[in-house]
Amino acid sequence: MASVVLTALATSCVDESYADEASVTLAFSVDTLSFDTVFVTVATPTHAVVVYNRGSRDVLLSQVTLEGGRESRFRLNVDGDTSMVAHNVEILSGDSIFIFVQANISPNDATQPFVVEDAIRFSNGQRLPLSAWGRNAVYHRPTDTLHYADGTVPLDAYGNPYAYSVIDCDGWRHDLPHVVIGYAVVDSRNTLSLVAGDELYFYNDAVLWVYDSATLQVHGSAEQPVIFTSVRQDGWYSFLPGQWGQVWLSAGSKDNVIDHAIVEKGCFGLVVDTNVGPNPTLTVSNTEVRHMSYTGIEAQGARIVGSNLLVYQCGLADLWLRAGGDYSFTGSTFGGYWRYGSRQNATVVVQNFYYAVGGVVVPRDITRADFTDCIIWGTYPDGELLEQQVDEAAYSSRFVHSIVKGGEWDIDPLFVDPDENDFHLQDGSPAAGIGYQWPSE
């Protein structure tokens, strides 16, 4: 008699309000959950997939897990459950749950991107494929922190200590991308030579610091420019400014050359400090600097020779020349367009002074600021060129055959669609033959 009672009790505990899970067909928000290319050993951003129960009855899934088990390079969060196997996952009729997925890819010997795959397995027999492209990389991680002689720790422009690593310039690998965390330093009397196809990816506030008596040589090509960009390339991060620091050619660096490069999505693009030798601090050509939260090219007492440059989408200014210096730009376009708010000044600023501590004005000679066959145009209503001078320092500027909003030749160059970053010229443009010239397309 007792066995009959136990059987009846066990049967009564089965909740028959749930559909037989084997008969349920779930719907997913994506057919395959894919991740953009990510670097090995670094967790990807978290992606989400929505799982829908569009049937007329609730369903209780006995398991949701990864086919790859504990060896999988993916990790799940199933409606809040982060265990390797989620049990008894309820989805009400007409309702849905979220599954959050992250990938962390192991390094291997590949020099080209490679794919890692797995799938989410549901106990009703369905599966959702997962895929992520991985890339091996060389990592530059901080190994030390800059200290003054008295032991105090200076802070950088971002409020962080100068946590740095020193680059092995002779051992630089050109077959893999490089990932910079903190300050990666080209040390004194060293030269970092980058060639066509080299790629540098930067974490938040990371900086390439070309130190005193050091040199940066960048020689890309039209087909393979050298890339300086952020580690995040997915979604809106693919064009979002302010994701890393800058390329800093600090005071005393010398004979720097950048040809055929793209510098994008930082706080500052190229920051060029005081010139110390007979040659230009920086010779830069065939290069795009874009999507900077502050300045595209900022110089302080430097000597720059620039040609065939395209600088645009910078929040403060495309080009800021201050604290004196000697500058010559030819065949370049400075596009003063900013989609993240209103700019408060012109996109090209030239000053023969700087502000010292306490707001004291310190005069510094601008011996030359020449613009030939250039376009300086944008949306700032008061004009896109601001020249500020003090009488205590020399100032010399020339604009030869250059369209300047607010200047002598003030005429719309007729860009194709500058709001969408297309600075090609329309047919019939008055700027034909001047400004940035694209590589063969």
Side-chain angles (χ1 to χ4, degrees):
M1 183 65 179
S3 61
V4 174
V5 172
L6 289 174
T7 302
L9 287 172
T11 302
S12 67
C13 290
V14 176
D15 190 341
E16 296 182 351
S17 65
Y18 291 113
D20 177 9
E21 62 177 339
S23 67
V24 171
T25 300
L26 303 170
F28 308 120
S29 56
V30 292
D31 294 328
T32 299
L33 189 60
S34 300
F35 292 81
D36 292 330
T37 301
V38 295
F39 295 109
V40 298
T41 74
V42 178
T44 66
T46 299
H47 288 190
V49 59
V50 186
V51 183
Y52 300 95
N53 174 14
R54 292 178 174 147
S56 59
R57 297 178 64 189
D58 303 342
V59 63
L60 189 67
L61 299 170
S62 57
Q63 284 190 5
V64 178
T65 189
L66 289 163
E67 288 185 349
R70 295 190 177 276
E71 301 302 315
S72 176
R73 302 315 306 170
F74 297 88
R75 290 295 178 265
L76 301 181
N77 179 327
V78 182
D79 218 29
D81 188 339
T82 58
S83 59
M84 289 298 297
V85 181
H87 294 281
N88 300 323
V89 178
E90 182 184 50
I91 312 178
L92 302 178
S93 172
D95 205 350
S96 61
I97 63 168
F98 283 92
I99 298 180
F100 298 96
V101 186
Q102 193 176 57
N104 193 321
I105 301 173
S106 297
N108 57 27
D109 295 330
T111 58
Q112 298 298 316
F114 57 93
V115 68
V116 174
E117 296 178 308
D118 201 345
I120 304 173
R121 172 69 69 178
F122 300 85
S123 53
N124 69 334
Q126 288 183 263
R127 63 192 300 273
L128 178 68
L130 307 174
S131 69
W133 284 92
R135 293 189 76 182
N136 290 295
V138 177
Y139 286 86
H140 300 268
R141 293 185 170 91
T143 56
D144 208 343
T145 301
L146 191 64
H147 291 74
Y148 288 134
D150 62 3
T152 58
V153 178
L155 301 180
D156 63 15
Y158 314 101
N160 303 316
Y162 291 85
Y164 69 91
S165 60
V166 175
I167 294 172
D168 176 8
C169 295
D170 292 335
W172 184 274
R173 290 188 63 172
H174 300 283
D175 59 338
L176 289 175
H178 288 248
V179 176
V180 176
I181 303 169
Y183 284 71
V185 179
V186 183
D187 208 357
S188 295
R189 296 179 295 280
N190 281 264
T191 297
L192 176 60
S193 297
L194 304 178
V195 300
D198 276 350
E199 300 171 71
L200 286 78
Y201 294 85
F202 294 80
Y203 269 80
N204 186 41
D205 297 339
V207 171
L208 177 64
W209 184 0
V210 184
Y211 195 57
D212 183 22
S213 301
T215 299
L216 175 65
Q217 293 275 319
V218 176
H219 296 284
S221 67
E223 296 77 20
Q224 289 187 299
V226 175
I227 304 295
F228 302 82
T229 188
S230 66
V231 292
R232 293 292 298 270
Q233 299 291 312
D234 54 301
W236 71 322
Y237 290 99
S238 63
F239 55 82
L240 184 69
Q243 297 183 59
W244 58 283
Q246 68 222 31
V247 176
W248 181 15
L249 309 178
S250 66
S253 71
K254 59 184 182 179
D255 303 330
N256 300 292
V257 174
I258 298 176
D259 181 51
H260 284 106
I262 293 175
V263 186
E264 62 178 14
K265 302 189 299 184
C267 293
F268 305 86
L270 307 175
V271 176
V272 191
D273 285 346
T274 306
N275 188 64
V276 296
N279 299 324
T281 323
L282 171 64
T283 301
V284 55
S285 55
N286 305 308
T287 290
E288 293 187 32
V289 183
R290 61 200 189 194
H291 305 304
M292 298 293 165
S293 54
Y294 294 106
T295 55
I297 301 175
E298 182 172 329
Q300 306 176 97
R303 183 180 174 195
I304 298 178
V305 176
S307 61
N308 203 41
L309 308 179
L310 176 59
V311 188
Y312 64 93
Q313 277 285 358
C314 300
L316 185 60
D318 289 349
L319 179 67
W320 195 304
L321 310 176
R322 61 193 181 104
D326 184 289
Y327 308 100
S328 175
F329 296 94
T330 304
S332 298
T333 295
F334 302 93
Y337 297 83
W338 180 244
R339 67 175 63 175
Y340 301 97
S342 59
R343 282 184 297 117
Q344 301 303 311
N345 54 263
T347 201
V348 172
V349 180
V350 187
Q351 300 169 318
N352 65 345
F353 62 89
Y354 70 96
Y355 292 104
V357 176
V360 176
V361 174
V362 180
R364 292 282 296 273
D365 292 343
I366 291 281
T367 57
R368 178 176 59 157
D370 287 357
F371 295 81
T372 304
D373 293 332
C374 291
I375 302 171
I376 303 173
W377 199 263
T379 59
Y380 193 60
D382 296 334
E384 291 293 5
L385 171 67
L386 175 62
E387 296 182 275
Q388 294 184 315
Q389 309 170 40
V390 295
D391 295 336
E392 294 80 7
Y395 186 91
S396 175
S397 66
R398 291 191 312 153
F399 297 86
V400 179
H401 198 231
S402 294
I403 289 179
V404 180
K405 185 174 184 179
E408 292 185 6
W409 190 14
D410 184 346
I411 184 171
D412 191 335
L414 299 179
F415 297 127
V416 170
D417 192 350
D419 291 329
E420 294 299 323
N421 306 323
D422 188 345
F423 289 89
H424 289 83
L425 300 175
Q426 300 178 32
D427 292 340
S429 165
I434 70 172
Y436 181 74
Q437 304 297 308
W438 274 260
S440 299
E441 298 178 339

